[in-house]
Amino acid sequence: GCATEHGRRHRPSSAGGWRCYDLRPREPEQTISPSHMILCLSGGTGGAKMVDGLAQVVGQAQLTAIVNTGDDGDFYGLRVCPDLDICVYTLAGVVDVRGWGYVHDTFRCLEGLATYGRDAWFGIGDRDLATHLHRTLALAEGRALSAVIADICARLGVQSRVLPMCD
């Protein structure tokens, strides 16, 4: 029988009745040949989870994600790319359980800004802040956003290719 605690789940089938789906991780070689690559479009926390799920099935090296930049903006003078960051953090295994930012991040800088009467509604953690500082400085040096994201991926051990939808 199927049970979710054993990595299987029942879902309705198009032929009527229920079909058992095996949700246990598979070896990448069983799913896709090494000569193929998967391309997906992603945005937000749900997209990052989808990308991570695909990476677990096919292997990170077989996956390219083109990620939304429509929500990018400047906060506190820093270039923030929330969808790119959540995708990279998720693939790197450093995303917090709340669904955004670094795991176990602190918010001392944000608390300091609030002390000075600055808006502190945008929850940028200290480690996350370092990402935004790095990106902003690299962009100011004339690097393309795609090159900056590739650098961040490499430094966090992400093997998938993560691309912004535009530079």
Side-chain angles (χ1 to χ4, degrees):
C2 296
T4 56
E5 64 267 13
H6 297 292
R8 296 177 183 211
R9 180 174 293 145
H10 277 119
R11 292 198 182 145
S13 81
S14 58
W18 292 84
R19 181 174 175 177
C20 181
Y21 290 87
D22 190 348
L23 302 176
R24 292 173 291 192
R26 286 176 252 152
E27 293 297 318
E29 295 76 25
Q30 295 175 338
T31 313
I32 188 167
S33 79
S35 63
H36 291 91
M37 178 171 282
I38 302 293
L39 172 69
C40 64
L41 305 177
S42 174
T45 57
K49 290 175 183 176
M50 176 196 68
V51 169
D52 188 48
L54 283 171
Q56 289 178 35
V57 172
V58 302
Q60 277 200 22
Q62 298 300 112
L63 183 63
T64 297
I66 298 176
V67 182
N68 176 46
T69 57
D71 295 324
D72 293 6
D74 295 324
F75 296 89
Y76 312 117
L78 302 174
R79 191 65 180 169
V80 177
C81 303
D83 292 354
L84 283 163
D85 293 342
I86 190 64
C87 187
V88 171
Y89 294 167
T90 301
L91 287 168
V94 299
V95 72
D96 194 77
V97 294
R98 69 180 173 262
W100 51 271
Y102 265 87
V103 65
H104 306 301
D105 208 349
T106 57
F107 295 87
R108 302 294 293 157
C109 184
L110 198 62
E111 293 164 3
L113 285 171
T115 299
Y116 298 115
R118 297 290 179 174
D119 250 350
W121 68 270
F122 194 75
I124 297 176
D126 298 331
R127 292 284 313 270
D128 207 14
L129 184 62
T131 301
H132 307 320
L133 282 164
H134 174 65
R135 178 179 24 250
T136 302
L137 292 169
L139 291 171
E141 293 165 354
R143 294 177 67 191
L145 180 58
S146 55
V148 177
I149 296 303
D151 177 62
I152 292 170
C153 284
R155 292 175 187 274
L156 295 180
V158 173
Q159 296 175 357
S160 294
R161 188 169 183 207
V162 179
L163 299 170
M165 67 179 191
C166 64
D167 270 331

